[in-house]
Amino acid sequence: AESLAVVRRIVSGLLALPDQRLDRAEQQEILSILSTFGGVPQVTSSIARLLRAPDQSIVQHAEAMLRVVRRRSGNAEVDAAMAAGDSIAAGGGVQEALRLYDRAAESLPTWAGVSARKCELFAAEKRHVDCVAACGEALELDEADVISRVQFGQCLKDAKATSSALQVLLQVKEQYPTMPSLKALDEWIVREQQRAEIR
């Protein structure tokens, strides 16, 4: 408990730094430091805030660090179980990976990383309905998880829930217009917007 309090003080100090006065290298360093603190809810939203930075290299680094922080729970045993699940999933053992993820969720039921990982796995397996459910769970636990929000929109799109997908992705695009993950969906978003306007 004492080490968690120290971590929270460090994170609070980093978050208090005014990003407008920091140069690119300092902002990237802070993003990298913040990404080491998985399991601290304020970290995701603080990193996501920099997805609005005018400097595209900061936006790209912020998105990369969001991907890193989503993989860190703040608990070494849970992180090891998740990494083992990832390895097993990469080898085709999806069901065993899901069992490991579920055990990790039992240890840390409020950590969004388990659901976010399931979201990714289900998307890769083209299990769109499961992907939508897992992404939704991740977002309930951490509404600032923009990576899961984009994946949620992508899975809705793939599940043919076009209007819901468009709504989700437009919300992300409005908040983070230069987010790299959205680039691949830009054409689809514009096309579906035009179709919705014609109707």
Short mmCIF file of all heavy atoms in Angstrom, two decimals, residues 7-75:
data_model
loop_
_atom_site.label_atom_id
_atom_site.label_comp_id
_atom_site.label_asym_id
_atom_site.label_seq_id
_atom_site.Cartn_x
_atom_site.Cartn_y
_atom_site.Cartn_z
N VAL A 7 3.82 5.70 -5.84
CA VAL A 7 3.57 5.73 -7.28
C VAL A 7 2.54 6.82 -7.61
O VAL A 7 2.73 7.60 -8.54
CB VAL A 7 3.07 4.35 -7.78
CG1 VAL A 7 2.50 4.45 -9.18
CG2 VAL A 7 4.20 3.34 -7.73
N ARG A 8 1.49 6.89 -6.83
CA ARG A 8 0.45 7.92 -7.09
C ARG A 8 1.00 9.32 -6.94
O ARG A 8 0.65 10.22 -7.69
CB ARG A 8 -0.75 7.68 -6.18
CG ARG A 8 -1.50 6.44 -6.63
CD ARG A 8 -2.91 6.39 -6.12
NE ARG A 8 -3.58 5.29 -6.79
CZ ARG A 8 -4.35 4.43 -6.20
NH1 ARG A 8 -4.59 4.54 -4.92
NH2 ARG A 8 -4.91 3.47 -6.88
N ARG A 9 1.90 9.54 -5.97
CA ARG A 9 2.52 10.87 -5.81
C ARG A 9 3.39 11.20 -7.00
O ARG A 9 3.37 12.32 -7.51
CB ARG A 9 3.33 10.94 -4.51
CG ARG A 9 2.47 11.13 -3.27
CD ARG A 9 3.28 11.63 -2.08
NE ARG A 9 4.43 10.84 -1.73
CZ ARG A 9 4.42 9.76 -0.93
NH1 ARG A 9 3.30 9.37 -0.38
NH2 ARG A 9 5.52 9.10 -0.67
N ILE A 10 4.15 10.22 -7.49
CA ILE A 10 5.00 10.44 -8.66
C ILE A 10 4.14 10.77 -9.87
O ILE A 10 4.41 11.74 -10.59
CB ILE A 10 5.88 9.20 -8.94
CG1 ILE A 10 6.92 9.03 -7.83
CG2 ILE A 10 6.57 9.32 -10.30
CD1 ILE A 10 7.64 7.69 -7.87
N VAL A 11 3.11 9.97 -10.09
CA VAL A 11 2.22 10.20 -11.24
C VAL A 11 1.56 11.58 -11.12
O VAL A 11 1.52 12.33 -12.09
CB VAL A 11 1.17 9.08 -11.35
CG1 VAL A 11 0.10 9.43 -12.37
CG2 VAL A 11 1.85 7.77 -11.72
N SER A 12 1.08 11.92 -9.94
CA SER A 12 0.46 13.24 -9.75
C SER A 12 1.44 14.36 -10.08
O SER A 12 1.07 15.36 -10.70
CB SER A 12 -0.04 13.40 -8.32
OG SER A 12 -1.08 12.51 -8.08
N GLY A 13 2.69 14.20 -9.68
CA GLY A 13 3.70 15.21 -9.99
C GLY A 13 3.94 15.33 -11.48
O GLY A 13 4.03 16.44 -12.02
N LEU A 14 4.00 14.20 -12.17
CA LEU A 14 4.19 14.24 -13.62
C LEU A 14 2.99 14.87 -14.31
O LEU A 14 3.14 15.63 -15.26
CB LEU A 14 4.41 12.82 -14.16
CG LEU A 14 5.76 12.20 -13.85
CD1 LEU A 14 5.76 10.71 -14.20
CD2 LEU A 14 6.87 12.92 -14.60
N LEU A 15 1.80 14.55 -13.83
CA LEU A 15 0.59 15.08 -14.45
C LEU A 15 0.44 16.58 -14.23
O LEU A 15 -0.20 17.26 -15.03
CB LEU A 15 -0.65 14.36 -13.91
CG LEU A 15 -0.70 12.86 -14.16
CD1 LEU A 15 -1.95 12.26 -13.55
CD2 LEU A 15 -0.63 12.55 -15.63
N ALA A 16 1.03 17.07 -13.17
CA ALA A 16 0.92 18.50 -12.86
C ALA A 16 1.81 19.36 -13.74
O ALA A 16 1.64 20.57 -13.81
CB ALA A 16 1.27 18.75 -11.39
N LEU A 17 2.77 18.74 -14.44
CA LEU A 17 3.66 19.52 -15.30
C LEU A 17 2.87 20.10 -16.46
O LEU A 17 2.11 19.40 -17.12
CB LEU A 17 4.78 18.62 -15.85
CG LEU A 17 5.78 18.12 -14.83
CD1 LEU A 17 6.70 17.09 -15.47
CD2 LEU A 17 6.60 19.27 -14.27
N PRO A 18 3.01 21.38 -16.71
CA PRO A 18 2.28 22.00 -17.81
C PRO A 18 2.88 21.64 -19.17
O PRO A 18 3.99 22.05 -19.48
CB PRO A 18 2.43 23.50 -17.52
CG PRO A 18 3.69 23.61 -16.73
CD PRO A 18 3.85 22.32 -15.98
N ASP A 19 2.16 20.83 -19.99
CA ASP A 19 2.76 20.34 -21.22
C ASP A 19 3.04 21.44 -22.25
O ASP A 19 3.86 21.28 -23.13
CB ASP A 19 1.94 19.22 -21.87
CG ASP A 19 0.47 19.27 -21.63
OD1 ASP A 19 0.06 18.77 -20.59
OD2 ASP A 19 -0.24 19.82 -22.48
N GLN A 20 2.40 22.61 -22.13
CA GLN A 20 2.65 23.68 -23.09
C GLN A 20 4.07 24.24 -22.94
O GLN A 20 4.62 24.79 -23.88
CB GLN A 20 1.67 24.85 -22.91
CG GLN A 20 0.22 24.48 -23.04
CD GLN A 20 -0.40 24.02 -21.73
OE1 GLN A 20 0.30 23.68 -20.77
NE2 GLN A 20 -1.71 23.98 -21.69
N ARG A 21 4.67 24.11 -21.78
CA ARG A 21 5.99 24.68 -21.54
C ARG A 21 7.12 23.68 -21.76
O ARG A 21 8.28 24.00 -21.58
CB ARG A 21 6.08 25.23 -20.11
CG ARG A 21 5.13 26.39 -19.90
CD ARG A 21 5.42 27.08 -18.58
NE ARG A 21 4.32 27.96 -18.27
CZ ARG A 21 3.59 27.90 -17.18
NH1 ARG A 21 3.87 27.01 -16.26
NH2 ARG A 21 2.61 28.73 -16.98
N LEU A 22 6.77 22.47 -22.13
CA LEU A 22 7.77 21.43 -22.31
C LEU A 22 8.08 21.25 -23.79
O LEU A 22 7.18 21.34 -24.63
CB LEU A 22 7.27 20.10 -21.74
CG LEU A 22 6.91 20.11 -20.25
CD1 LEU A 22 6.29 18.78 -19.87
CD2 LEU A 22 8.13 20.38 -19.40
N ASP A 23 9.34 21.01 -24.11
CA ASP A 23 9.66 20.76 -25.51
C ASP A 23 9.29 19.32 -25.88
O ASP A 23 8.88 18.53 -25.03
CB ASP A 23 11.13 21.08 -25.82
CG ASP A 23 12.12 20.14 -25.12
OD1 ASP A 23 11.76 18.99 -24.79
OD2 ASP A 23 13.27 20.57 -24.93
N ARG A 24 9.44 18.98 -27.15
CA ARG A 24 9.03 17.67 -27.67
C ARG A 24 9.70 16.53 -26.90
O ARG A 24 9.05 15.58 -26.48
CB ARG A 24 9.38 17.57 -29.15
CG ARG A 24 9.05 16.20 -29.72
CD ARG A 24 9.52 16.05 -31.15
NE ARG A 24 8.87 17.04 -31.98
CZ ARG A 24 9.29 17.37 -33.18
NH1 ARG A 24 10.35 16.80 -33.70
NH2 ARG A 24 8.66 18.28 -33.89
N ALA A 25 11.00 16.62 -26.71
CA ALA A 25 11.73 15.55 -26.03
C ALA A 25 11.23 15.37 -24.60
O ALA A 25 11.07 14.24 -24.12
CB ALA A 25 13.22 15.83 -26.04
N GLU A 26 10.97 16.48 -23.90
CA GLU A 26 10.47 16.40 -22.52
C GLU A 26 9.08 15.78 -22.49
O GLU A 26 8.78 14.95 -21.61
CB GLU A 26 10.45 17.79 -21.89
CG GLU A 26 11.84 18.35 -21.63
CD GLU A 26 11.82 19.83 -21.26
OE1 GLU A 26 10.98 20.59 -21.79
OE2 GLU A 26 12.65 20.21 -20.42
N GLN A 27 8.22 16.15 -23.44
CA GLN A 27 6.87 15.57 -23.49
C GLN A 27 6.95 14.07 -23.76
O GLN A 27 6.24 13.28 -23.13
CB GLN A 27 6.02 16.26 -24.56
CG GLN A 27 5.60 17.66 -24.17
CD GLN A 27 4.69 18.29 -25.20
OE1 GLN A 27 3.84 17.61 -25.78
NE2 GLN A 27 4.84 19.57 -25.42
N GLN A 28 7.81 13.68 -24.69
CA GLN A 28 7.94 12.26 -25.00
C GLN A 28 8.50 11.49 -23.80
O GLN A 28 8.06 10.37 -23.52
CB GLN A 28 8.82 12.06 -26.23
CG GLN A 28 8.12 12.49 -27.50
CD GLN A 28 8.97 12.37 -28.74
OE1 GLN A 28 10.19 12.36 -28.67
NE2 GLN A 28 8.32 12.26 -29.89
N GLU A 29 9.43 12.09 -23.08
CA GLU A 29 9.98 11.43 -21.90
C GLU A 29 8.92 11.25 -20.83
O GLU A 29 8.81 10.17 -20.22
CB GLU A 29 11.15 12.25 -21.34
CG GLU A 29 11.81 11.59 -20.15
CD GLU A 29 13.00 12.37 -19.60
OE1 GLU A 29 13.21 13.53 -19.99
OE2 GLU A 29 13.71 11.80 -18.77
N ILE A 30 8.10 12.26 -20.61
CA ILE A 30 7.02 12.15 -19.62
C ILE A 30 6.02 11.08 -20.04
O ILE A 30 5.58 10.27 -19.22
CB ILE A 30 6.35 13.51 -19.38
CG1 ILE A 30 7.31 14.40 -18.57
CG2 ILE A 30 5.02 13.35 -18.65
CD1 ILE A 30 6.86 15.82 -18.43
N LEU A 31 5.68 11.03 -21.33
CA LEU A 31 4.77 9.99 -21.81
C LEU A 31 5.36 8.60 -21.54
O LEU A 31 4.66 7.69 -21.09
CB LEU A 31 4.52 10.16 -23.31
CG LEU A 31 3.53 11.24 -23.69
CD1 LEU A 31 3.60 11.51 -25.19
CD2 LEU A 31 2.13 10.87 -23.27
N SER A 32 6.64 8.44 -21.81
CA SER A 32 7.29 7.15 -21.58
C SER A 32 7.29 6.78 -20.10
O SER A 32 7.05 5.63 -19.74
CB SER A 32 8.72 7.17 -22.12
OG SER A 32 8.70 7.36 -23.52
N ILE A 33 7.56 7.76 -19.25
CA ILE A 33 7.55 7.50 -17.81
C ILE A 33 6.14 7.14 -17.35
O ILE A 33 5.95 6.17 -16.61
CB ILE A 33 8.09 8.72 -17.02
CG1 ILE A 33 9.59 8.92 -17.30
CG2 ILE A 33 7.83 8.56 -15.52
CD1 ILE A 33 10.14 10.25 -16.81
N LEU A 34 5.15 7.90 -17.79
CA LEU A 34 3.77 7.62 -17.39
C LEU A 34 3.34 6.22 -17.81
O LEU A 34 2.61 5.55 -17.08
CB LEU A 34 2.81 8.66 -18.00
CG LEU A 34 2.75 10.02 -17.33
CD1 LEU A 34 1.90 10.97 -18.16
CD2 LEU A 34 2.22 9.92 -15.91
N SER A 35 3.81 5.77 -18.97
CA SER A 35 3.37 4.46 -19.47
C SER A 35 3.85 3.31 -18.59
O SER A 35 3.34 2.20 -18.70
CB SER A 35 3.84 4.26 -20.91
OG SER A 35 5.23 4.02 -20.94
N THR A 36 4.80 3.56 -17.70
CA THR A 36 5.25 2.49 -16.80
C THR A 36 4.28 2.27 -15.65
O THR A 36 4.38 1.27 -14.95
CB THR A 36 6.65 2.79 -16.22
OG1 THR A 36 6.59 3.96 -15.42
CG2 THR A 36 7.68 2.96 -17.32
N PHE A 37 3.34 3.20 -15.45
CA PHE A 37 2.43 3.12 -14.31
C PHE A 37 1.08 2.55 -14.72
O PHE A 37 0.08 3.24 -14.76
CB PHE A 37 2.24 4.50 -13.67
CG PHE A 37 3.50 5.05 -13.07
CD1 PHE A 37 4.21 6.05 -13.71
CD2 PHE A 37 3.98 4.56 -11.87
CE1 PHE A 37 5.38 6.56 -13.16
CE2 PHE A 37 5.15 5.06 -11.32
CZ PHE A 37 5.85 6.06 -11.97
N GLY A 38 1.06 1.26 -15.02
CA GLY A 38 -0.20 0.60 -15.29
C GLY A 38 -1.00 0.46 -14.01
O GLY A 38 -0.44 0.45 -12.92
N GLY A 39 -2.29 0.38 -14.16
CA GLY A 39 -3.16 0.20 -13.00
C GLY A 39 -3.47 1.48 -12.26
O GLY A 39 -4.18 1.45 -11.26
N VAL A 40 -2.98 2.63 -12.72
CA VAL A 40 -3.31 3.92 -12.11
C VAL A 40 -4.25 4.63 -13.08
O VAL A 40 -3.83 5.05 -14.16
CB VAL A 40 -2.05 4.77 -11.84
CG1 VAL A 40 -2.42 6.10 -11.21
CG2 VAL A 40 -1.08 4.01 -10.94
N PRO A 41 -5.55 4.72 -12.74
CA PRO A 41 -6.55 5.20 -13.70
C PRO A 41 -6.27 6.56 -14.34
O PRO A 41 -6.58 6.77 -15.50
CB PRO A 41 -7.84 5.26 -12.86
CG PRO A 41 -7.60 4.35 -11.71
CD PRO A 41 -6.12 4.37 -11.46
N GLN A 42 -5.67 7.48 -13.62
CA GLN A 42 -5.45 8.82 -14.17
C GLN A 42 -4.44 8.81 -15.31
O GLN A 42 -4.38 9.74 -16.11
CB GLN A 42 -4.94 9.80 -13.10
CG GLN A 42 -5.83 9.94 -11.91
CD GLN A 42 -5.47 8.95 -10.80
OE1 GLN A 42 -5.01 7.85 -11.03
NE2 GLN A 42 -5.71 9.36 -9.57
N VAL A 43 -3.63 7.79 -15.39
CA VAL A 43 -2.56 7.75 -16.39
C VAL A 43 -3.13 7.69 -17.80
O VAL A 43 -2.70 8.43 -18.69
CB VAL A 43 -1.59 6.59 -16.12
CG1 VAL A 43 -0.62 6.40 -17.26
CG2 VAL A 43 -0.83 6.84 -14.82
N THR A 44 -4.11 6.81 -18.04
CA THR A 44 -4.67 6.67 -19.38
C THR A 44 -5.23 8.00 -19.88
O THR A 44 -4.95 8.42 -21.00
CB THR A 44 -5.78 5.60 -19.40
OG1 THR A 44 -5.29 4.41 -18.80
CG2 THR A 44 -6.23 5.30 -20.82
N SER A 45 -6.02 8.66 -19.05
CA SER A 45 -6.61 9.93 -19.49
C SER A 45 -5.55 11.01 -19.69
O SER A 45 -5.66 11.84 -20.59
CB SER A 45 -7.69 10.40 -18.52
OG SER A 45 -7.16 10.60 -17.23
N SER A 46 -4.51 10.98 -18.90
CA SER A 46 -3.44 11.98 -19.05
C SER A 46 -2.65 11.77 -20.34
O SER A 46 -2.32 12.72 -21.04
CB SER A 46 -2.49 11.92 -17.86
OG SER A 46 -3.20 12.25 -16.70
N ILE A 47 -2.38 10.52 -20.65
CA ILE A 47 -1.68 10.24 -21.91
C ILE A 47 -2.60 10.57 -23.09
O ILE A 47 -2.18 11.19 -24.06
CB ILE A 47 -1.20 8.78 -21.96
CG1 ILE A 47 -0.12 8.54 -20.90
CG2 ILE A 47 -0.67 8.43 -23.35
CD1 ILE A 47 0.32 7.09 -20.76
N ALA A 48 -3.87 10.18 -22.98
CA ALA A 48 -4.82 10.44 -24.07
C ALA A 48 -4.94 11.94 -24.35
O ALA A 48 -5.12 12.35 -25.50
CB ALA A 48 -6.19 9.86 -23.74
N ARG A 49 -4.80 12.75 -23.32
CA ARG A 49 -4.88 14.21 -23.50
C ARG A 49 -3.86 14.69 -24.53
O ARG A 49 -4.12 15.62 -25.29
CB ARG A 49 -4.65 14.87 -22.15
CG ARG A 49 -5.04 16.32 -22.08
CD ARG A 49 -4.88 16.87 -20.68
NE ARG A 49 -3.47 16.86 -20.31
CZ ARG A 49 -3.01 16.76 -19.08
NH1 ARG A 49 -3.83 16.65 -18.08
NH2 ARG A 49 -1.72 16.78 -18.83
N LEU A 50 -2.72 14.02 -24.58
CA LEU A 50 -1.68 14.44 -25.53
C LEU A 50 -1.93 13.96 -26.95
O LEU A 50 -1.18 14.31 -27.86
CB LEU A 50 -0.30 14.01 -25.03
CG LEU A 50 0.18 14.86 -23.85
CD1 LEU A 50 1.42 14.27 -23.21
CD2 LEU A 50 0.43 16.29 -24.28
N LEU A 51 -3.00 13.22 -27.17
CA LEU A 51 -3.41 12.88 -28.53
C LEU A 51 -3.92 14.12 -29.26
O LEU A 51 -4.13 14.09 -30.47
CB LEU A 51 -4.49 11.80 -28.53
CG LEU A 51 -4.06 10.40 -28.11
CD1 LEU A 51 -5.27 9.50 -27.95
CD2 LEU A 51 -3.08 9.81 -29.12
N ARG A 52 -4.14 15.20 -28.53
CA ARG A 52 -4.59 16.47 -29.12
C ARG A 52 -3.43 17.43 -29.37
O ARG A 52 -3.66 18.57 -29.79
CB ARG A 52 -5.59 17.16 -28.19
CG ARG A 52 -6.86 16.40 -27.98
CD ARG A 52 -7.84 17.24 -27.15
NE ARG A 52 -8.88 16.40 -26.63
CZ ARG A 52 -8.98 16.00 -25.37
NH1 ARG A 52 -8.11 16.39 -24.47
NH2 ARG A 52 -9.95 15.22 -24.99
N ALA A 53 -2.22 17.01 -29.12
CA ALA A 53 -1.06 17.90 -29.26
C ALA A 53 -0.92 18.36 -30.71
O ALA A 53 -1.23 17.61 -31.64
CB ALA A 53 0.21 17.18 -28.82
N PRO A 54 -0.46 19.58 -30.91
CA PRO A 54 -0.27 20.06 -32.28
C PRO A 54 0.88 19.36 -33.01
O PRO A 54 0.88 19.28 -34.23
CB PRO A 54 0.02 21.56 -32.10
CG PRO A 54 0.36 21.75 -30.67
CD PRO A 54 -0.21 20.59 -29.91
N ASP A 55 1.83 18.83 -32.27
CA ASP A 55 2.98 18.15 -32.85
C ASP A 55 2.62 16.68 -33.11
O ASP A 55 2.37 15.92 -32.17
CB ASP A 55 4.16 18.27 -31.87
CG ASP A 55 5.45 17.67 -32.40
OD1 ASP A 55 5.39 16.75 -33.24
OD2 ASP A 55 6.52 18.11 -31.93
N GLN A 56 2.58 16.27 -34.37
CA GLN A 56 2.16 14.91 -34.73
C GLN A 56 3.08 13.85 -34.13
O GLN A 56 2.64 12.75 -33.81
CB GLN A 56 2.07 14.76 -36.25
CG GLN A 56 1.42 13.47 -36.70
CD GLN A 56 -0.02 13.29 -36.21
OE1 GLN A 56 -0.74 14.24 -35.93
NE2 GLN A 56 -0.45 12.05 -36.10
N SER A 57 4.35 14.16 -33.91
CA SER A 57 5.24 13.16 -33.31
C SER A 57 4.84 12.89 -31.86
O SER A 57 4.96 11.77 -31.38
CB SER A 57 6.71 13.60 -33.40
OG SER A 57 6.96 14.71 -32.58
N ILE A 58 4.33 13.92 -31.17
CA ILE A 58 3.83 13.72 -29.80
C ILE A 58 2.56 12.86 -29.84
O ILE A 58 2.38 11.96 -29.01
CB ILE A 58 3.55 15.08 -29.10
CG1 ILE A 58 4.83 15.89 -28.95
CG2 ILE A 58 2.85 14.88 -27.76
CD1 ILE A 58 5.88 15.25 -28.06
N VAL A 59 1.69 13.12 -30.80
CA VAL A 59 0.46 12.33 -30.95
C VAL A 59 0.81 10.86 -31.18
O VAL A 59 0.25 9.97 -30.54
CB VAL A 59 -0.42 12.88 -32.10
CG1 VAL A 59 -1.61 11.97 -32.37
CG2 VAL A 59 -0.89 14.29 -31.79
N GLN A 60 1.74 10.60 -32.07
CA GLN A 60 2.15 9.22 -32.36
C GLN A 60 2.76 8.56 -31.12
O GLN A 60 2.46 7.40 -30.82
CB GLN A 60 3.14 9.19 -33.52
CG GLN A 60 2.51 9.54 -34.84
CD GLN A 60 3.52 9.69 -35.95
OE1 GLN A 60 4.70 9.87 -35.72
NE2 GLN A 60 3.04 9.62 -37.19
N HIS A 61 3.58 9.31 -30.40
CA HIS A 61 4.20 8.75 -29.19
C HIS A 61 3.14 8.51 -28.11
O HIS A 61 3.18 7.48 -27.41
CB HIS A 61 5.30 9.69 -28.68
CG HIS A 61 6.21 9.07 -27.68
ND1 HIS A 61 7.06 8.02 -27.99
CD2 HIS A 61 6.38 9.32 -26.36
CE1 HIS A 61 7.72 7.66 -26.90
NE2 HIS A 61 7.33 8.43 -25.90
N ALA A 62 2.18 9.41 -27.99
CA ALA A 62 1.11 9.24 -27.00
C ALA A 62 0.31 7.98 -27.31
O ALA A 62 0.00 7.19 -26.39
CB ALA A 62 0.19 10.46 -26.99
N GLU A 63 -0.01 7.75 -28.58
CA GLU A 63 -0.76 6.54 -28.92
C GLU A 63 0.06 5.29 -28.61
O GLU A 63 -0.45 4.31 -28.05
CB GLU A 63 -1.18 6.53 -30.39
CG GLU A 63 -2.03 5.32 -30.70
CD GLU A 63 -2.69 5.36 -32.07
OE1 GLU A 63 -2.96 6.45 -32.61
OE2 GLU A 63 -2.95 4.26 -32.57
N ALA A 64 1.35 5.32 -28.93
CA ALA A 64 2.22 4.18 -28.62
C ALA A 64 2.26 3.92 -27.11
O ALA A 64 2.22 2.77 -26.66
CB ALA A 64 3.62 4.42 -29.18
N MET A 65 2.35 4.98 -26.32
CA MET A 65 2.42 4.81 -24.86
C MET A 65 1.07 4.36 -24.28
O MET A 65 1.03 3.65 -23.28
CB MET A 65 2.89 6.09 -24.19
CG MET A 65 4.35 6.45 -24.50
SD MET A 65 5.55 5.14 -24.10
CE MET A 65 5.83 4.37 -25.69
N LEU A 66 -0.04 4.73 -24.92
CA LEU A 66 -1.35 4.20 -24.50
C LEU A 66 -1.37 2.69 -24.68
O LEU A 66 -1.90 1.96 -23.84
CB LEU A 66 -2.49 4.84 -25.30
CG LEU A 66 -2.96 6.19 -24.83
CD1 LEU A 66 -3.96 6.78 -25.81
CD2 LEU A 66 -3.57 6.11 -23.44
N ARG A 67 -0.80 2.23 -25.77
CA ARG A 67 -0.74 0.78 -26.01
C ARG A 67 0.11 0.09 -24.95
O ARG A 67 -0.20 -1.01 -24.50
CB ARG A 67 -0.22 0.49 -27.41
CG ARG A 67 -1.19 0.91 -28.49
CD ARG A 67 -0.70 0.58 -29.89
NE ARG A 67 -1.55 1.17 -30.89
CZ ARG A 67 -2.76 0.75 -31.21
NH1 ARG A 67 -3.26 -0.31 -30.61
NH2 ARG A 67 -3.47 1.37 -32.13
N VAL A 68 1.18 0.75 -24.52
CA VAL A 68 2.05 0.19 -23.49
C VAL A 68 1.32 0.15 -22.15
O VAL A 68 1.30 -0.88 -21.46
CB VAL A 68 3.37 1.00 -23.37
CG1 VAL A 68 4.16 0.59 -22.13
CG2 VAL A 68 4.21 0.83 -24.62
N VAL A 69 0.73 1.26 -21.74
CA VAL A 69 0.11 1.35 -20.41
C VAL A 69 -1.07 0.38 -20.27
O VAL A 69 -1.34 -0.13 -19.18
CB VAL A 69 -0.29 2.80 -20.06
CG1 VAL A 69 -1.60 3.21 -20.70
CG2 VAL A 69 -0.35 3.00 -18.56
N ARG A 70 -1.75 0.08 -21.38
CA ARG A 70 -2.86 -0.86 -21.34
C ARG A 70 -2.39 -2.27 -21.02
O ARG A 70 -3.17 -3.12 -20.63
CB ARG A 70 -3.57 -0.90 -22.69
CG ARG A 70 -4.29 0.35 -23.03
CD ARG A 70 -4.73 0.39 -24.49
NE ARG A 70 -5.87 -0.47 -24.70
CZ ARG A 70 -5.92 -1.44 -25.61
NH1 ARG A 70 -4.91 -1.69 -26.38
NH2 ARG A 70 -7.00 -2.16 -25.74
N ARG A 71 -1.11 -2.53 -21.18
CA ARG A 71 -0.56 -3.86 -20.93
C ARG A 71 0.05 -3.98 -19.54
O ARG A 71 0.59 -5.02 -19.19
CB ARG A 71 0.49 -4.19 -21.99
CG ARG A 71 -0.11 -4.26 -23.38
CD ARG A 71 0.79 -5.00 -24.33
NE ARG A 71 0.14 -5.34 -25.58
CZ ARG A 71 -0.78 -6.28 -25.74
NH1 ARG A 71 -1.19 -6.99 -24.73
NH2 ARG A 71 -1.29 -6.53 -26.92
N ARG A 72 -0.04 -2.94 -18.75
CA ARG A 72 0.56 -2.97 -17.41
C ARG A 72 -0.53 -2.77 -16.36
O ARG A 72 -1.21 -1.77 -16.34
CB ARG A 72 1.61 -1.87 -17.30
CG ARG A 72 2.76 -2.13 -18.24
CD ARG A 72 3.88 -1.17 -18.04
NE ARG A 72 5.01 -1.58 -18.88
CZ ARG A 72 5.85 -0.74 -19.42
NH1 ARG A 72 5.72 0.55 -19.21
NH2 ARG A 72 6.84 -1.18 -20.16
N SER A 73 -0.59 -3.73 -15.48
CA SER A 73 -1.64 -3.71 -14.45
C SER A 73 -1.17 -3.10 -13.15
O SER A 73 -1.98 -2.75 -12.30
CB SER A 73 -2.10 -5.14 -14.17
OG SER A 73 -1.05 -5.87 -13.54
N GLY A 74 0.14 -3.03 -12.95
CA GLY A 74 0.67 -2.61 -11.67
C GLY A 74 0.90 -3.81 -10.75
O GLY A 74 1.31 -3.67 -9.61
N ASN A 75 0.66 -5.02 -11.26
CA ASN A 75 0.83 -6.25 -10.51
C ASN A 75 1.67 -7.21 -11.36
O ASN A 75 1.22 -7.65 -12.43
CB ASN A 75 -0.54 -6.86 -10.19
CG ASN A 75 -0.47 -8.15 -9.42
OD1 ASN A 75 0.22 -9.08 -9.81
ND2 ASN A 75 -1.20 -8.21 -8.33
#
